[in-house]
Amino acid sequence: MKRSWSIGLVLLGVAALGVFAIERVSGGTNGAPPRATRTGTEVQTLLLAVPFELEEPYVHAWRAERPSVQSGWLVVLEVDAEKVRPTELAQPVLCAGDETLERYHHGYEAGRVVALLPADKVFGARAAVELAARTFFFASPQLPEQIDALAISAERALAEQRGCAPFALPLVERAARRGGAPIVVKDRVELDRLAAQLILTYSPADRARAEELLR
Amino acid sequence: MNRPESPQGAVRRRAVSSVFAVLAAACGLHARAQTPLPGVVPGPAPVPRAAAPAELAARPLAQYPWVEFARAYFEGQNVSVALDTSRYPWTIGQTVDVWVVAHRSALEWDANPFLVDARGAPQSVTFSAGSVQANTFVLTNALSGDAGTSLGVGYDVVLDLDGDGKLGEPDLIDGLGAEAGFYVCKPTALAGPLAVTEVLYSGGTWLGEDIYYPTNIAALGALPLVVVSHGNGHNYTWYDHIGTHLASWGCVVMSHQNNTMPGPDSAALTTLQNTDHFLANLGTIAGGVLAGHVDSHHIVWIGHSRGAEGVARAVDRLFDGANSFATFTLADIALVSSIAPTDFLGTSSANAHTQNMSLWVGGADADVDGCVASDIAVSWPLLWRATGVRQSIELHGAGHGAFHDGGGSTVSAGPCLLTRLDVHPIMKSYLVPLVKRYTEGNIPAEDFLCRPWETFQSPGVPTNSCVVVDLQYAEMASTGKRVLDDFETNLTTALSSCGGTVIQTFDIYAEGRLDDPNSVFTFTASETFNGMCDGRATDNVRGAVMAWTTSDRGVNFEVPIAWRDVRDYTYLSLRACQSTRATETTAALGDLDFTLTLQDTLGHESSIRASAYGMGIEEPYQRTSCGTGTGWNNEWETVRVRLTDFTRDGSLVDLANVAAVELRFGPSWGGSSGRIGLDDVEFVRE
């Protein structure tokens, strides 16, 4: 029974994301959604945000403490492409508030990144408010697996000094509406499949990565 | 070059040598005038009472020592038989049948001494007095190298001196024992004999796997497992060239999704988890066809970039006990092969410890670029942190992306760039012997890893002038090798690490850490260790740098008394490099030649030029940036010379009493001017 419930929610999530994808694609060129108005220089805007909750937690490998995560946000961000240029060397680390985001892919060609932001479960109207309180920024180039709470806090202060600020609540609310209903699924595998759809929509050059997640 | 004169007023300052040299001269013992004496040990010629082992299968050389007793040859390549009649004077004037026989062990020879020539019939040759040159004969007819999925068909060479068609007294044999006289190999750049099946599998998050195996695996035994861990921004489906090739040579290959974006430690965990998952689920993966056909005790980890650092880190995690699995242990990791690895984690963590390690570096890599501006982008320290057998393969002109087959840019910078069509056959040609060496203990595979590219390369590799490959090979200490000087203890220049005295006559001679002292390759005369990339501040990798300008110079390493009998050793080995952007290097850009000399306690000496084998010290890849000037990192190469080569053609040097190893440079001995690095001067076994 529980399995059926999960599958139902997955389908619900896919439907919600699918509606958004169709909406965006219809307004874009060459099959990619149009760029939103830029509101920042490094993390330029929040295109989509949808809360998620998992039955089975996963380890968030993108910070040194490697916390266990069971809820948060699946987001699509428009970013300065140079910050996500693929390299084997150190890259800027995408953060929001005092947390690092897990980027599903590089997103260099599109300048858009699909990512997971670990967060406490907050569904409903308060969710957008909570998200709007966070400053999205790129920490200095380093390994995400080596950055800890102290370093994130220091990097956040630096980011705010250079003008990074939270997104306006209306923008976050709009992104949350695009995201649709919260995703409640069994595990990361199911969540990843939803994220793969977003990669295909927002960063089609990373199709190979999306296909990995869909297999 | 046969027994050249000593350098004028340069190297031979060691008192004992000089004394004996004077005595020898006074007694008319000039080497060129000597009557050849038989055997390695001076003394009367022993007449063999049974078939005696001898070095016979050879590759002719254009200068002294005239032949190289190599072990591996490719199908269709000439193999010669060469006899140094100065060591076997009783053969002079004899016409003898040369037999090439499918290799037999000593027990098999005992059971069956009858000679059966693999070519159909023996070949008659007549030996004469004089140089081995006059006693070198090309063996007729093609020999098969078809060893199935193994590498090399072994053959023994027999000189049937009594003409009785049997092995016995007084015949000579090359190959009496576990090792054949020589091996004929299929081209390793070309596909092996097996058809390959590829399947995609997913076991969950970060457990996506691209699996390659011989299609007829049901008819095969347990095959070695090769795991491929991709790099950041790469994809696990981008290694078809490795997977298909090694599976065709009898391996199971699994390339997996790799969680590289958080960093190489996360990648390491993914390598470990995928290896474990794969071995634990053989009953279901690919419909269960692999069950019972994967040898979990012979695993090779190949990583690329962050994934290449990840595989070293994965070893470190097993070594430290941070991770353990029911399906495999550290001892099961036969080889760690890192392609263009990053070095984020440094000395203590990016460390393959006791495991065998191979390193691949592309000279034109524009990502992990090797510029000393960042320790993270310099791969070499990973190699020297390992303490197992270590080997490196450096390719001029190869970019970071040239090692995968995912298309797109090769991520390269520099002149004479190589395409994937160039790089992949080279990779394949070395991957087969690497895997065979460490999963099977394959003997001829070692030749692939030690002999210079210039003289031993698989058919099927590109031959254009842009293709330059440099190899290093270092045995592990537990083989009992005798290290004369690794420069890591006894830090004065007058004393080697083994405690012997060192006498040198260079314009510049210094010992130090092999770590460029600043962040650029720009040359200044005072920056002795410019271009060195073998260790970072926390690594203890040391060596020497020496320079000379248009004068003969040299360095003489005393062999300690207890080590002077080297008959149980096979090679004199060292590694050397040219200093990048140095005026002495750029003055005559090219392979730098020099001379290796053995001196015995009686003052006899024998010298061999490195170029005799087609070797030389490679000039650095001519890439710009990373400071001013042209030339990338100092490119180390291993130079190995078979000790018995110093005894060729009646040389009096006595391998039972070697007093010193001398390296000679300058106009009389090789390159007129130069600035080089030197390390790991040692006697090693085969």
Side-chain angles (χ1 to χ4, degrees):
Chain A
M1 283 303 289
K2 195 154 192 172
R3 180 81 179 164
S4 303
W5 173 82
S6 295
I7 291 171
L9 285 169
V10 168
L11 293 173
L12 183 64
V14 169
L17 294 171
V19 166
F20 175 68
I22 291 165
E23 174 195 331
R24 303 305 300 174
V25 169
S26 64
T29 57
N30 301 324
R35 287 178 178 269
T37 304
R38 297 183 176 190
T39 58
T41 54
E42 46 195 67
V43 182
Q44 293 161 349
T45 197
L46 179 66
L47 291 169
L48 180 147
V50 55
F52 70 85
E53 183 182 12
L54 306 179
E55 286 179 57
E56 296 176 5
Y58 69 93
V59 172
H60 181 43
W62 288 61
R63 59 182 295 162
E65 297 90 345
R66 298 177 65 83
S68 179
V69 173
Q70 209 156 357
S71 61
W73 291 87
L74 174 61
V75 298
V76 181
L77 296 160
E78 193 156 279
V79 301
D80 175 0
E82 286 305 312
K83 298 287 187 186
V84 293
R85 178 190 286 273
T87 176
E88 304 296 335
L89 307 182
Q91 292 176 292
V93 180
L94 181 59
C95 299
D98 289 327
E99 184 57 274
T100 56
L101 282 83
E102 175 179 344
R103 286 162 48 204
Y104 269 103
H105 61 119
H106 286 283
Y108 172 67
E109 287 82 357
R112 298 193 192 93
V113 169
V114 178
L116 291 179
L117 170 60
D120 292 339
K121 176 184 172 184
V122 185
F123 288 176
R126 281 199 311 111
V129 175
E130 193 276 340
L131 193 57
R134 294 172 181 258
T135 297
F136 283 75
F137 63 97
F138 278 101
S140 58
Q142 58 195 295
L143 291 178
E145 68 188 14
Q146 293 181 338
I147 191 168
D148 61 11
L150 199 62
I152 297 168
S153 180
E155 291 280 358
R156 177 186 175 184
L158 290 172
E160 289 171 351
Q161 281 176 25
R162 62 178 182 263
C164 295
F167 293 122
L169 181 59
L171 185 147
V172 176
E173 288 174 334
R174 195 160 56 245
R177 280 198 299 277
R178 286 182 190 134
I183 299 167
V184 182
V185 290
K186 177 172 174 285
D187 57 18
R188 270 295 299 265
V189 173
E190 294 180 359
L191 181 61
D192 292 349
R193 289 192 180 122
L194 298 174
Q197 299 294 342
L198 292 176
I199 294 170
L200 291 171
T201 302
Y202 286 94
S203 187
D206 289 328
R207 167 172 289 276
R209 174 65 177 136
E211 289 173 345
E212 273 187 46
L213 298 169
L214 289 169
R215 282 191 190 111
Chain B
M1 183 177 59
N2 192 356
R3 291 182 295 281
E5 301 300 320
S6 301
Q8 294 299 314
V11 175
R12 300 191 59 203
R13 307 268 191 259
R14 189 181 308 288
V16 63
S17 296
S18 300
V19 168
F20 279 111
V22 170
L23 286 174
C27 296
L29 291 176
H30 191 282
R32 291 185 188 281
Q34 283 302 300
T35 302
L37 295 178
V40 175
V41 184
V47 176
R49 300 194 307 178
E55 292 168 324
L56 298 172
R59 179 177 79 91
L61 305 175
Q63 55 181 308
Y64 187 84
W66 306 118
V67 293
E68 176 186 23
F69 290 112
R71 287 183 296 186
Y73 301 82
F74 288 105
E75 267 187 349
Q77 198 177 41
N78 279 342
V79 183
S80 294
V81 62
L83 189 69
D84 182 355
T85 53
S86 71
R87 300 177 70 185
Y88 306 96
W90 60 91
T91 63
I92 294 171
Q94 286 200 50
T95 297
V96 175
D97 282 343
V98 181
W99 295 76
V100 178
V101 182
H103 174 59
R104 301 175 195 171
S105 68
L107 285 176
E108 288 169 333
W109 275 115
D110 286 345
N112 175 19
F114 291 96
L115 300 171
V116 179
D117 199 292
R119 303 166 299 170
Q123 182 176 349
S124 184
V125 302
T126 301
F127 294 115
S128 59
S131 170
V132 70
Q133 276 182 289
N135 293 294
T136 300
F137 308 93
V138 175
L139 295 172
T140 54
N141 289 334
L143 291 162
S144 171
D146 186 357
T149 59
S150 189
L151 180 59
V153 176
Y155 296 94
D156 297 337
V157 181
V158 177
L159 301 186
D160 187 17
L161 290 169
D162 59 2
D164 67 352
K166 292 191 298 182
L167 182 70
E169 182 187 2
D171 303 335
L172 296 175
I173 179 170
D174 189 355
L176 187 66
E179 186 175 320
F182 69 99
Y183 294 84
V184 176
C185 302
K186 288 280 189 185
T188 51
L190 305 181
L194 303 177
V196 174
T197 297
E198 177 185 5
V199 295
L200 287 173
Y201 164 83
S202 179
T205 302
W206 297 117
L207 292 172
E209 298 174 350
D210 195 350
I211 299 161
Y212 311 77
Y213 59 87
T215 303
N216 67 336
I217 195 165
L220 304 173
L223 306 180
L225 172 63
V226 178
V227 176
V228 182
S229 303
H230 70 75
N232 199 34
H234 303 164
N235 187 286
Y236 70 109
T237 60
W238 289 2
Y239 296 88
D240 288 349
H241 56 305
I242 295 176
T244 304
H245 192 67
L246 290 179
S248 78
W249 282 89
C251 300
V252 173
V253 182
M254 179 270 286
S255 175
H256 63 85
Q257 285 183 318
N258 204 6
N259 191 15
T260 58
M261 289 175 74
D265 193 37
S266 299
L269 288 168
T270 323
T271 298
L272 291 164
Q273 288 159 358
N274 274 275
T275 305
D276 178 53
H277 181 89
F278 182 77
L279 293 172
N281 291 278
L282 291 172
T284 56
I285 292 171
V289 296
L290 303 175
H293 297 290
V294 176
D295 180 356
S296 63
H297 299 304
H298 290 94
I299 299 171
V300 173
W301 278 342
I302 298 174
H304 186 190
S305 207
R306 283 193 189 182
E309 182 177 359
V311 292
R313 171 59 172 154
V315 166
D316 180 62
R317 282 182 159 275
L318 294 174
F319 186 86
D320 291 344
N323 297 91
S324 61
F325 300 90
T327 50
F328 69 101
T329 67
L330 177 61
D332 298 323
I333 308 303
L335 174 69
V336 175
S337 188
S338 289
I339 303 169
T342 53
D343 187 15
F344 282 98
L345 304 178
T347 307
S348 63
S349 298
N351 193 325
H353 295 282
T354 54
Q355 303 314 109
N356 303 316
M357 176 144 196
S358 78
L359 176 71
W360 306 71
V361 171
D365 194 322
D367 195 349
V368 185
D369 61 15
C371 174
V372 288
S374 166
D375 282 344
I376 293 167
V378 178
S379 299
W380 294 99
L382 272 76
L383 179 70
W384 299 111
R385 288 172 196 151
T387 57
V389 183
R390 294 156 291 180
Q391 50 260 298
S392 66
I393 301 165
E394 185 165 16
L395 294 84
H396 281 198
H400 196 77
F403 293 106
H404 65 63
D405 72 353
S409 166
T410 57
V411 195
S412 52
C416 231
L417 295 177
L418 303 183
T419 67
R420 292 187 177 93
L421 290 176
D422 297 319
V423 172
H424 291 183
I426 299 170
M427 293 177 73
K428 293 173 182 176
S429 75
Y430 284 114
L431 279 168
V432 171
L434 274 169
V435 171
K436 298 297 176 187
R437 179 69 186 153
Y438 297 105
T439 61
E440 293 178 9
N442 185 279
I443 291 172
E446 190 180 325
D447 267 35
F448 288 72
L449 308 177
C450 299
R451 287 167 59 189
W453 165 263
E454 291 88 337
T455 60
F456 189 62
Q457 52 188 253
S458 168
V461 298
T463 54
N464 72 72
S465 61
C466 286
V467 177
V468 176
V469 180
D470 296 323
L471 304 179
Q472 291 184 85
Y473 183 86
E475 289 283 3
M476 59 182 136
S478 62
T479 58
K481 66 180 181 180
R482 288 180 177 166
V483 181
L484 293 181
D485 209 346
D486 63 9
F487 305 95
E488 286 169 13
T489 54
N490 296 332
L491 303 187
T492 69
T493 56
L495 201 59
S496 66
S497 59
C498 74
T501 57
V502 178
I503 302 169
Q504 56 80 23
T505 59
F506 290 96
D507 306 337
I508 295 169
Y509 186 93
E511 295 185 14
R513 294 180 48 252
L514 299 178
D515 180 14
D516 190 301
N518 58 28
S519 60
V520 291
F521 287 142
T522 306
F523 173 73
T524 60
S526 60
E527 193 185 318
T528 311
F529 287 84
N530 185 52
M532 296 296 184
C533 297
D534 284 3
R536 55 164 64 180
T538 48
D539 295 311
N540 182 34
V541 184
R542 296 174 58 87
V545 170
M546 51 208 69
W548 68 98
T549 306
T550 64
S551 298
D552 287 341
R553 296 288 185 261
V555 56
N556 183 295
F557 296 94
E558 179 193 27
V559 178
I561 292 172
W563 283 10
R564 288 182 173 173
D565 184 350
V566 297
R567 290 174 298 178
D568 195 31
Y569 290 81
T570 314
Y571 298 103
L572 169 62
S573 176
L574 57 88
R575 65 186 190 111
C577 65
Q578 294 198 55
S579 292
T580 194
R581 305 186 186 185
T583 50
E584 299 92 337
T585 298
T586 57
L589 204 61
D591 259 17
L592 190 142
D593 195 13
F594 68 104
T595 298
L596 303 94
T597 299
L598 279 192
Q599 297 171 336
D600 70 15
T601 52
L602 292 177
H604 304 130
E605 65 175 42
S606 178
S607 297
I608 295 174
R609 282 225 187 185
S611 59
Y613 303 95
M615 292 188 282
I617 308 172
E618 190 72 43
E619 75 273 22
Y621 178 53
Q622 293 297 290
R623 180 177 172 184
T624 55
S625 81
C626 197
T628 58
T630 303
W632 216 239
N633 60 281
N634 302 340
E635 285 182 34
W636 292 90
E637 283 188 287
T638 295
V639 174
R640 298 209 315 180
V641 175
R642 194 174 283 267
L643 286 165
T644 51
D645 286 359
F646 289 99
T647 68
R648 194 76 22 88
D649 283 357
S651 159
L652 292 176
V653 76
D654 180 5
L655 296 183
N657 291 289
V658 174
V661 169
E662 194 162 279
L663 308 177
R664 298 172 177 172
F665 303 84
S668 303
W669 309 102
S672 170
S673 300
R675 180 182 286 247
I676 66 161
L678 176 70
D679 196 13
D680 297 334
V681 182
E682 55 197 23
F683 296 117
V684 299
R685 296 190 170 99
E686 199 151 57

